[in-house]
């Protein structure tokens, strides 16, 4: 899965590291190297999932799932209903705790030890499968609440809108094509507009990693295309994981694809590679 | 059916009591005559014959007279040779009837003559007293003799008791005799080892009387070893009594728990299925109690012979009345508020105010009298705790209701659909389940159960318009604590809270106990915000 | 004025009205002769003062319920705690004028044969201390209670029930004689406050003015909070709590802040209420009282500043009128109010008017937009929401 950095490993002799004549020193060094090797394999990654398991009432929703996302990468995740895609996002964002396995962000932060706000503040943003925006706020206020910055209650109380904030909001409104809706209540938006507003809220957070769950569900073809373009734009500056059923959309993104099935990775590679994989065809068509 | 059971056990008790009492009454006539024969001038031999005769009756009723004779307290009146037990005070005698011990006034000493005694007479009396009752044919009589001797704890009786114990065949009676002997030994001047052994015997007995005997002994004896033994026995008995005290508290707790179960279970299913809290639930309970009242009024006026059956009649009626009110409430109000649980809470609170005031206007603000049928009244003892029939039946009733509801939920189509709606309303409705109908049925069922709870509560609490209010908050706590994932949560929650409340009460008092329970619940939901048996699944909104 | 722009004209008007009332009502009762048509009879002053305290209480509840979505059924407890803190001060002011003439111990303690003041009564002889306690005790209770409740993500009806249980537990506790708060009878027979006789018309006018000023301040505080970014966050928490978490906010702290501020306001309302009605007893903790507060806010319109104030004044005026005419029917009316408001007027009076107004404006704007840019909007909006 990951190629280990072999250069750092010392010479071996009969399978044993020889570091010093003292056996204990050798043992210590061996252990340290093993630790570093493990860290090394994830150090360069942005997101690192290894052997993750999650069981709901005896049902294995996530089964020994391993997945690695490089910095700056955009990844599409596909898989049949119930494959565990949303659950995987739940685990990454701290909504669900895995039963076993490692989940690391930037190679060093153990995400299983943090809760949702902490993880969000670290720079992981999430769009939900079902769009959720703050319905009784205007589009503009939705974005203002999502803007990165202090999350303390007292700062929020004394907060004054700065010019920089306003500029950022204008920019996001333009990106998500909501400029003329800025004073509208979010509850008055159409389904597609809500999806876009939610993506806009993600952008406002300025996260390092965006998790986007089914962004084009219920969109017209034209909207889908727009959304694909928007996501590709976003991927210029951010790392993104997109979950989607819509194969045209995934093809349009033109990125590496991971197919999940029954909670683990079934196939990984280019869209052509994955869609030709007989096992993928089996799970999509074989039932 | 329950009635029958109760009748049978009552009958059985009566037979037992009859067995115990019958021979005593039969012998009373002769016994009195024999006691009277001590009157008049007579020689020692004659007196001894009378003693033997008295003993031969086998009637313990003669024992007081014999004892008085031995102690020199038996007198006869010069005028008519009537015999009395008397105590001297100055120039007068305080008289008592020799058979019954009833007060017979006072009289000048000169009018009476003491029945004369000497040592041989005393020995004869003691022997007679022993054989008289301890060797009686009837086991119940022997038992009573042993009990009398236990409370008297007379060292003189040790020997007769020894004899009786050796001859005794009935294990229970023998044990009682040994206890009586032990009590006597403690009072005697026997060696310390024997007293220690006696203390052991009393420890076996383990009740408050044994404790008293041991305590008196321990405070008076000079013998270190014997006192040590007695104190150990006291400690053992005290812990035994404490155990039964706790058992009694647990019993009270179960009783409270069953009431909470009845009150909370309907709440739990409506909350589970519909996600709404019915603040008028307490008033459904209250309606059930008033239904019982009305039923009993009708019976009193037109068919008094049915009174014993009044609760059996009230239960289905209360169910129907409350279920009907619940149904109307759901159809006319709650269904319009679906998905707005907080508003539902407020609206149902309004309904509870209206229902309370309505009942107050119709039945008046004061408590109404609801009677207990015979089989609901009285109590019996288990070990050292007392169990009242009404509490017992309420526990049984609560468990029956619980079991019935379990059956309904798990074995009927309605139950299946209710569980489906509980877990995933949208999916259930997509599968063709008529969720509005399920809501209405659930609400009616929950309210109906509350009505039945009202029948039970009418037996132990005042029936007033505020009846429901007193239980509603505790019922909420049960639901919060037990969770709404399944009915067992409600059972465990109700029993735990009931028992916890009652166990805390002796230490903290009723009010502080309640507060402690509340704080514990708040701490508990830190760990499990959705209660003991949380509803599971991804569709439970966070 | 910046303040006016920030708070909006309506708040300014409301505050102005309250401040005017704080001056004019006392003037009308003290200075005007009884024959004047503007004269306000003295007995009415504490009555209206009581309503003003209720309005502050409703406003406090509205901050948590209307804006953060926490339906507290225990706000009566904070109100009562503030009231008790004030009552304890008033009790100590009686001094040796009590029935038993004990200079230190209040009458009920003498009656219970207590020998000295319990430790928690120390300090209440001083007004400043009592004033601090009025704020501190409800605030602290709310903080501790809220900390545990919100941290464990207890929400919705669960939270409502727990708050109800809280006030119920306090009710039971304050009923006890050995708690040292006068048991069943509570605290009463007050003589004077800050040296002024409590029954005097001037004192009552002063208390009335203080209540109006407190309410005005409350409106300003709630207005400032709800219009800040935090206020927007509160509404966001109300509408989609878990979403706020995924953008990095901690809704539990938002709730804790609102709950504590609200409890403090309720405590102040209680402290102003007690000297005007002359008694505080455990009945104030009754769960029913707390739910009544909710209906005040609901009638007026939750989630608005004006609503709870209007609601509290209206409902309580109605209550006074009704209990005078046909007391036995008041519960029917109150119960009916709960049902009707939730069914037919969920936004309350003010909310409904606002909504109608803004819908009208929206429609007009839409009509204008139709004319102006009949080309329609981008493809995104053509997808109708389900
Ligand atoms: N909280 C939960 N409790 C119980 N089961 C759950 C929970 N969350 C998810 N599951 C189950 O885990 C499985 C995986 O669900 P998940 O939502 O991750 O699938 P998905 O790949 O996102 O499917 P879809 O394409 O339909 O969105 C499903 O069978 C689901 O029912
Ligand atoms: Mg999904």
């Amino acid at each position: 899965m990951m190629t280990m950095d072999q250069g750092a490993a010392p010479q071996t002799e009969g399978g044993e590291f020889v570091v010093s004549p003292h056996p204990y020193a050798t043992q210590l060094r061996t252990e340290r190297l093993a630790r570093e090797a493990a860290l090394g394999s994830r150090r360069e990654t942005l997101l690192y999932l290894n052997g993750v398991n999650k069981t709901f009432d005896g049902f294995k929703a996530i089964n020994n799932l391993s997945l690695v996302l490089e910095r700056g990468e955009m990844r599409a995740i596909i898989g049949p209903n119930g494959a565990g895609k949303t659950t995987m996002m739940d685990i990454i964002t701290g909504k669900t705790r895995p039963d076993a396995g490692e989940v690391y962000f930037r190679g060093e932060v153990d995400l299983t030890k943090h809760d949702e706000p902490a993880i969000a503040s670290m720079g992981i943003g999430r769009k939900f499968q079902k769009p959720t925006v703050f319905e009784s706020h205007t589009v503009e206020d939705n974005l203002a609440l999502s803007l990165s910055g202090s999350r303390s209650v007292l700062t929020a109380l004394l907060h004054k809108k700065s010019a920089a904030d306003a500029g950022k909001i204008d920019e996001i409104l333009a990106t998500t094509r909501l400029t003329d809706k800025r004073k509208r209540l979010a509850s008055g938006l159409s389904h597609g507009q809500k999806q876009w507003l939610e993506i806009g809220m993600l952008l406002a957070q300025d996260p390092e990693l965006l998790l986007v769950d089914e962004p084009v569900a219920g969109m017209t073809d034209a909207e889908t295309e727009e959304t694909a373009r928007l996501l590709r734009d976003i991927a210029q500056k951010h790392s993104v994981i997109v979950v989607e059923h819509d194969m045209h959309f995934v093809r349009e993104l033109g990125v590496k694809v991971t197919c999940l099935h029954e909670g683990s990775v079934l196939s990984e590679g280019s869209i052509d590679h994955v869609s030709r994989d007989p096992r993928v065809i089996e799970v999509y068509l074989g039932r | 059916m329950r009635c029958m059971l109760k009748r049978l056990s009552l009958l059985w008790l009566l037979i037992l009591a009859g067995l115990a009492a019958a021979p005593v009454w039969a012998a009373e006539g002769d016994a009195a005559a024999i006691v009277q024969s001590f009157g008049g001038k007579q020689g020692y031999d004659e007196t001894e014959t009378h003693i033997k005769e008295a003993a031969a009756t086998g009637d313990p009723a003669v024992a007081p007279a014999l004892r008085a004779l031995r102690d020199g307290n038996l007198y006869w009146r010069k005028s008519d040779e009537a015999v009395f037990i008397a105590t001297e005070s100055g120039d007068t005698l305080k008289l008592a009837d020799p058979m019954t011990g009833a007060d017979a006034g006072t009289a000048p000493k000169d009018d009476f003559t003491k029945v004369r005694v000497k040592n041989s007479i005393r020995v004869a009396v003691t022997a007679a007293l022993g054989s008289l009752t301890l060797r009686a044919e009837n086991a119940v009589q022997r038992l009573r003799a042993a009990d009398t001797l236990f409370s008297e704890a007379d060292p003189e009786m040790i020997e007769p008791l020894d004899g009786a114990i050796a001859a005794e065949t009935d294990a229970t009676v023998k044990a009682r005799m040994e206890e009586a002997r032990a009590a006597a030994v403690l009072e005697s001047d026997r060696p310390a080892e024997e007293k220690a052994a006696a203390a052991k015997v009393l420890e076996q007995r383990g009740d408050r009387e044994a404790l008293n005997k041991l305590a008196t002994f321990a405070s008076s004896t000079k013998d270190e070893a014997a006192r040590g033994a007695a104190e150990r026995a006291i400690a053992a008995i005290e812990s035994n009594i404490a155990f039964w005290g706790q058992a009694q508290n647990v019993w009270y707790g179960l009783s409270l728990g069953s009431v909470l179960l009845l009150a909370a279970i309907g709440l739990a299913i409506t909350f589970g299925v519909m996600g709404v809290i019915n603040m008028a639930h307490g008033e459904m309970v209250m309606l059930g109690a008033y239904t019982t009242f009305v039923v009993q009024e009708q019976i009193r006026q037109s068919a008094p012979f049915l009174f014993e059956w009044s609760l059996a009649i009230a239960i289905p009626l209360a169910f129907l009345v409350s279920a009907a009110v619940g149904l109307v409430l759901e159809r006319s109000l709650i269904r319009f508020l679906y998905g707005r649980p907080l508003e539902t809470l407020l609206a149902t609170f309004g309904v509870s105010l209206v229902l309370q005031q309505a009942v107050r206007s119709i039945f008046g603000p004061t408590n109404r009298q609801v009677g207990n049928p015979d089989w609901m009244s009285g109590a019996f003892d288990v070990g050292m705790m007392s169990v009242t029939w009404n509490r017992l039946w309420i526990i049984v009733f609560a468990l029956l209701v619980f079991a019935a509801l379990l059956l309904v939920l798990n074995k009927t189509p309605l139950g299946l659909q209710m569980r489906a709606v509980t877990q995933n309303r949208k999916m259930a409705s997509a599968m063709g389940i008529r969720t509005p109908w399920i809501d209405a049925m659930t609400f009616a069922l929950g309210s109906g159960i509350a009505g039945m709870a009202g029948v039970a509560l009418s037996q132990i609490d005042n029936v007033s318009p505020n009846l429901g209010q007193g239980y509603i908050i505790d019922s909420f706590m049960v639901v919060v604590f037990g969770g709404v994932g399944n009915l067992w949560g409600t059972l465990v929650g109700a029993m735990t809270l009931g028992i916890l409340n009652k166990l805390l009460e002796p230490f903290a008092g009723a009010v502080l106990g309640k507060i402690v329970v509340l704080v514990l619940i708040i701490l508990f939901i830190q760990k499990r915000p959705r209660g003991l048996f949380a509803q599971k699944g991804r569709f439970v909104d966070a | 004025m910046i303040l006016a722009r920030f708070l909006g004209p309506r708040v300014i008007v409301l505050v102005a009205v309250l401040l005017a009332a704080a001056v004019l009502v006392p003037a009308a009762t003290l200075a005007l002769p009884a024959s004047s048509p503007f004269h306000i009879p003295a007995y009415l002053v504490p009555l209206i003062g009581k309503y003003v305290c209720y309005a502050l209480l409703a406003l406090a509840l509205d901050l948590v319920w209307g804006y953060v979505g926490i339906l507290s059924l225990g706000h009566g407890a904070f109100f009562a705690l503030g009231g008790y803190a004030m009552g304890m001060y008033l009790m100590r002011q009686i001094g040796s004028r009590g029935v038993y003439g004990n200079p230190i111990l209040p009458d009920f303690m003498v009656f219970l044969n207590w020998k000295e003041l319990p430790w928690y009564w120390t300090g209440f002889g001083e007004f400043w201390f009592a004033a601090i306690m009025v704020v501190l005790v409800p605030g602290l209770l709310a903080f501790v209670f809220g900390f545990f409740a919100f941290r464990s993500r207890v929400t919705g009806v669960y939270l409502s029930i727990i708050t109800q249980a809280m006030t119920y537990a306090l009710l039971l506790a304050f009923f006890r004689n050995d708690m040292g708060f006068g048991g069943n009878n509570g605290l009463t027979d007050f003589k004077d406050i800050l040296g002024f006789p409590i029954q005097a018309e001037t004192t009552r006018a002063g208390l009335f003015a203080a209540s109006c000023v407190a309410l005005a301040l409350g409106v300003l505080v709630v207005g400032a909070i709800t219009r800040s970014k935090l206020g927007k966050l509160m509404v966001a928490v109300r509408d989609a709590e878990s979403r706020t978490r995924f953008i990095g906010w901690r809704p539990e702290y938002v709730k804790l802040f609102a709950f504590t501020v609200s409890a403090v306001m309720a405590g102040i309302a209680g402290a102003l209420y007690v000297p005007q009605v002359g008694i505080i007893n455990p009945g104030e903790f009754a769960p029913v009282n707390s739910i009544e507060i909710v209906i005040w806010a609901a009638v007026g319109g939750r989630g608005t500043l004006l609503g709870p104030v209007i609601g509290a004044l209206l409902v309580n005026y109605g209550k006074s009128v009704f209990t005078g005419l046909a007391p036995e029917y008041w519960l029917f009316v109150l119960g009916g109010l709960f049902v009707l408001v939730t069914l037919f007027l969920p936004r309350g009076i003010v909310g409904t008017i606002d909504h109608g107004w803004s819908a009208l404006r929206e429609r007009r704007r839409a009509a204008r937009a139709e004319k102006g840019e009949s080309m329609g909007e981008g493809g995104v909006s053509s997808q109708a929401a389900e």
Side-chain angles (χ1 to χ4, degrees), chain A residues 177-192:
Chain A
R177 297 162 186 238
L178 290 167
T179 308
D180 55 340
K181 306 271 186 307
R182 68 186 302 160
K183 296 282 183 210
R184 280 271 195 93
L185 291 186
S187 56
L189 296 182
S190 74
H191 184 77

Side-chain angles (χ1 to χ4, degrees), chain A residues 117-148:
Chain A
I119 291 174
S121 304
M122 280 171 208
I124 299 185
R126 175 173 184 185
K127 192 198 97 50
F128 284 84
Q129 188 163 347
K130 178 174 168 254
T132 35
V133 294
F134 304 126
E135 307 253 331
S136 35
H137 279 318
T138 60
V139 168
E140 194 174 6
D141 283 343
N142 266 282
L143 294 176
L145 281 175
S146 315
L147 277 182
S148 58

